[in-house]
Amino acid sequence: MVVTGWGAVTPLGNDVESSFAAMREGRSGVRRVTRFDPTGLFCDIAGEVDDSAFWPLDEHGKQGGSAYRLARRAFEEATAGQLLAGIEDRFRIATIFGGHGHQPNEHEMAQLVACLDDDGRARADAVAALDDYQLSVFTRRQPDVVAALLAQEADARGPVAAIVSACAAGTQAIGEGLRLIRDGRADVVITGGAEPTLSYSGYLGFSILGALTRRYPAPEKASRPFDRRRNGFVIAEGAGVLILESLAHAKARGRTPLGEVLGYGDSADAYLITAMHPKGEGAIQAMRRAIDDAGLLPEHVDYVNAHGTSTPINDPTETMAAKAVFGERAYQVPMSSNKSMIGHTIGAAGALEAICTLRGMQEGVLLPTINQEAPDRKCDLDYVPNEAREMAHEVALSNSFGFGGQNGCLCLGSTP
Amino acid sequence: MTRPVGIAAYASRCALGNDDQQIDQALADGESAIGPLRGFDASAFGDTVAAQIWTEEDVDEDDPAIRILGPHGRILEHVVRRAYAAADLDQLPAERVGLYVGMGMVDAAVEDLVPAVAASRDADGELDLAKFFKGAYRLIHPLWPLSMLNNVAVGQIATDLDIRGDNLVLASDAVCGVRAILEAARAVREGIVDAAIAAGVSERVCPASLARRRVGVEGVQPMGEGGAALVLTNAVDGVALRLLGGATAHGPRDQRFASERAGEIALHQAGRSEARRLTDARTGVGDLGPGQAAFALARAAHDLAAGEVGLLTMDYDGSGMGPGAGALVVERPA
């Protein structure tokens, strides 16, 4: 199964090439939030996308809100060159997309709060009197609206679904897309993820949960996966879109593969919704299943694109999981985190990291984990510290472990 | 070779009853579940009615599980737990059991914001966002954000039941429940897991859902003008799937339904355009709806004659935004 198109919107660029080039240089896209005034919050930084050059959405597109705005931009890049043109049977094009839709902004929350009495009970008369709860407010909060609108945009009439497994959503969407093609239920799949995390309630929510970093000398120093001074993740917005199809299908229509999706594995931690299993059992299972699904063995894996969130628990647990999967060879398998540079894009992360992994294979480059300054004895693998590394590699894993306990792992391969 | 997947057990809960026996009896008696809205004053919405699940357990605000699961997650857990137990899934390795859930719209629990908002009012009683941002928000319960994440309830249920295989959460169109069954059946058929629970749960009946019911713009009134075409319902269903040879029946009631349950599941999803294509192929037959198209495709995919169909259930997203329709067909065994 190959990737024939990709598109990315990240805090470091609004396409794959500019984002990849910036990450190759080890730059950070994290800065103080400008989308709203974060003064007073535990955390005031994020990975913001510069959307000033985005085309405005038409009335139809506005039904998808901020999530669709990001996804649409990545989709345009992924399908450039009329990538989906010439496919006669549009019923064989599926759309499987990760993300959680638009979260309420200040206005919407204030509006809804106005419908409550002082005891927190709903005043239905106030709800009933709302005169601007319009169709677009309804639709853009639906997690499936991005998938539905992308399918309409692409005239893709096959199966459509939205996957909502937090940080694992993008990876699971690609994995489910892979399975759709293997099952013969689609020839082409539009997949990926988009997350507009910088709506006020989304950002506030993660801040209140205590998941975000609280101590950082400078915004660009805040995301430091595997470093001893890490203390939480940096939230970010973004979108990644990939076009999947079988190699035979791509060749038959003269499309050039960009890379290969070899296998997919997923699992549930069944431990705590707020923390990984302390022994990384779910992560181990997802990684092993992805390798097995690809028909490979752990010794075939050259590189791991880590989930690498920069939280105190995730990074050593993921390290432990890698050791369980690779044994002593774990020390020879480089494992780096894109989140050190672009932050955590939640439902888009798996898609963006899959793209970065495949692009790195094309270039023979491993992207770095920046901000590696204070070694952590529990994180003692090769994280490609601070600088990109030239290294030809052909097989990689890309990990995503969701808040809530869902885990996904993709096994990716260089261009066949 | 196709490996048939059977329904080993199912559980459901809706306004007609809290278990399958109650629901069956109510259906046999021709009861209606639709009644006046409860839980909040809905008089401003006119003569609004709904088919609401309502028990003391579901609204116990002191129950710590409610904070994580939410009301919809709580009723989801009830049926998943029952289907899991009835199918003896605890006899399987935890990592060989999957959980697939289609989940209706999840609303942020806006009522949890009230204390923070109350502390953020200006002299005129209006919301002062600066006050809110600069400290009042700390009055919000730290677990409030979980109410916005669709997957958290499913993760909690997997934790409670120790289900460690595939865990997929689909949202929120009306077809996602059928798609959950489809994906679960595929995973069992392909041997990714030995068994799976597939479930679907509706959104809450609450002021926000009532407000949504009335949405629309000129030419698009998905719920009918003023929402009049839709009676809000909350309900939940779950099925336990295993390879056909592994399906087991439990108790007298299961024996009664054994023949239908032992059938193979055939599924297909169809969109509006796919319905159009089928109609075109059958010139003169007339328009097919997406639901009919999904049914036709499911039958065709598994070479089923109408008389071989033991059970048919269909879902269709009528909002005009969703992906179409899905049909679930259970084959009547020879």
Side-chain angles (χ1 to χ4, degrees), chain A residues 36-42 60 63 89 91 96 100 103-104 106 109-110 112-113 116-131 133-135 138-139 141-145 148-149 152 155 157-167 172 176 179-180 182-183 185 200-202 204-209 264-274 277 281 285 289 402-406, chain B residues 40-45 68 95-97 100 103 105-108 110-114 117-118 121 127 129-130 132-135 137-138 140-146 148-156 158-159 162-173 179 182-183 186-187 190 192-193 207-208 210-212 214-217 220 222-223 268-269 271-275 277 317 319-323:
Chain A
F36 55 86
D37 181 1
T39 302
L41 295 180
F42 299 125
H60 183 67
Q63 294 173 347
D89 192 346
F91 305 103
I96 311 291
H100 303 82
Q103 299 295 355
E106 303 95 304
M109 295 185 79
L112 289 170
V113 165
L116 301 171
D117 65 21
D118 288 342
D119 295 325
R121 290 190 297 264
R123 289 175 47 228
D125 57 329
V127 179
L130 291 177
D131 59 2
Y133 201 108
Q134 296 297 322
L135 182 66
F138 168 50
T139 56
R141 286 216 53 224
Q142 285 186 267
D144 58 298
V145 73
L149 289 174
Q152 289 177 28
D155 191 24
R157 307 184 193 183
V160 182
I163 294 178
V164 289
S165 47
C167 325
Q172 287 197 313
E176 293 302 318
R179 288 173 175 174
L180 266 184
R182 280 181 177 168
D183 290 351
R185 288 189 279 157
Y200 179 71
S201 60
L204 176 67
F206 279 104
S207 178
I208 290 174
L209 276 173
Y264 164 58
D266 64 344
S267 69
D269 267 354
Y271 174 64
L272 282 175
I273 56 164
T274 50
H277 189 284
E281 288 182 359
Q285 187 179 188
R289 282 185 167 183
F403 183 93
Q406 289 84 5
Chain B
F40 55 91
D41 178 8
S43 57
F45 289 94
I68 293 174
E95 64 275 11
R96 298 296 301 164
V97 180
Y100 300 76
M103 184 165 275
M105 196 77 175
V106 174
D107 286 299
V110 68
E111 60 273 18
D112 285 354
L113 304 177
V114 170
V117 170
R121 287 175 172 152
L127 182 65
L129 287 175
F132 187 74
F133 294 171
K134 289 180 180 173
Y137 76 90
R138 294 178 191 233
I140 299 171
H141 192 286
L143 294 182
W144 161 74
L146 300 183
M148 290 189 292
L149 293 171
N150 310 59
N151 64 310
V152 163
V154 181
Q156 185 62 46
T159 301
D162 196 24
I163 297 174
R164 303 188 197 181
D166 276 22
N167 191 297
L168 192 68
V169 189
L170 299 149
S172 59
D173 59 85
R179 173 157 288 281
L182 187 153
E183 298 301 334
R186 176 195 48 72
E190 293 181 0
I192 295 170
V193 289
L210 284 170
R212 280 199 293 272
R214 304 182 313 156
V215 301
V217 294
V220 181
M223 316 303 176
H268 202 95
Q269 186 186 32
R272 285 174 291 281
S273 300
E274 196 145 17
R277 180 175 67 157
D317 192 292
S319 70
M321 295 299 300

Side-chain angles (χ1 to χ4, degrees), chain A residues 289-367:
Chain A
R289 282 185 167 183
I291 296 169
D292 185 60
D293 190 48
L296 298 173
L297 296 169
E299 52 263 40
H300 295 128
V301 176
D302 303 315
Y303 164 71
V304 177
N305 190 321
H307 186 51
T309 55
S310 188
T311 59
I313 293 176
N314 175 88
D315 299 351
T317 308
E318 188 171 12
T319 297
M320 190 187 311
K323 291 177 181 176
V325 171
F326 298 114
E328 277 301 307
R329 189 171 165 271
Y331 292 92
Q332 280 79 54
V333 181
M335 180 164 87
S336 66
S337 169
N338 303 156
K339 294 183 181 77
S340 65
M341 295 173 282
I342 60 173
H344 191 350
T345 54
I346 312 296
L352 288 171
E353 289 160 15
I355 292 169
C356 288
T357 304
L358 291 169
R359 186 73 186 90
M361 285 185 189
Q362 286 183 331
E363 292 288 309
V365 167
L366 305 180
L367 293 176

Side-chain angles (χ1 to χ4, degrees), chain B residues 31 47 137 247 259 281 308:
Chain B
E31 288 182 17
D47 58 348
Y137 76 90
S259 59
E308 295 173 301

Side-chain angles (χ1 to χ4, degrees), chain A residues 10-189:
Chain A
T10 77
L12 283 169
N14 289 333
D15 55 44
V16 172
E17 285 316 301
S18 59
S19 298
F20 184 82
M23 282 189 262
R24 189 173 184 166
E25 294 171 4
R27 285 164 46 196
S28 170
V30 178
R31 56 188 68 90
R32 192 171 196 276
V33 173
T34 62
R35 198 80 77 215
F36 55 86
D37 181 1
T39 302
L41 295 180
F42 299 125
C43 176
D44 64 357
I45 58 173
E48 273 188 353
V49 165
D50 176 8
D51 61 357
S52 57
F54 284 18
W55 289 101
L57 295 174
D58 58 17
E59 288 303 313
H60 183 67
K62 284 178 183 173
Q63 294 173 347
S66 50
Y68 181 61
R69 184 172 161 83
L70 294 166
R72 170 67 188 273
R73 173 78 178 203
F75 171 78
E76 286 171 358
E77 183 189 3
T79 56
Q82 300 291 304
L83 181 64
L84 298 179
I87 300 173
E88 279 193 23
D89 192 346
R90 310 305 288 190
F91 305 103
R92 299 287 298 169
I93 305 175
T95 310
I96 311 291
F97 214 71
H100 303 82
H102 167 94
Q103 299 295 355
N105 60 25
E106 303 95 304
H107 171 69
E108 290 160 4
M109 295 185 79
Q111 185 183 55
L112 289 170
V113 165
C115 299
L116 301 171
D117 65 21
D118 288 342
D119 295 325
R121 290 190 297 264
R123 289 175 47 228
D125 57 329
V127 179
L130 291 177
D131 59 2
D132 60 349
Y133 201 108
Q134 296 297 322
L135 182 66
S136 61
V137 177
F138 168 50
T139 56
R140 68 193 184 204
R141 286 216 53 224
Q142 285 186 267
D144 58 298
V145 73
V146 174
L149 289 174
L150 287 179
Q152 289 177 28
E153 180 68 23
D155 191 24
R157 307 184 193 183
V160 182
I163 294 178
V164 289
S165 47
C167 325
T171 289
Q172 287 197 313
I174 297 169
E176 293 302 318
L178 170 73
R179 288 173 175 174
L180 266 184
I181 297 174
R182 280 181 177 168
D183 290 351
R185 288 189 279 157
D187 293 329
V188 177
V189 176

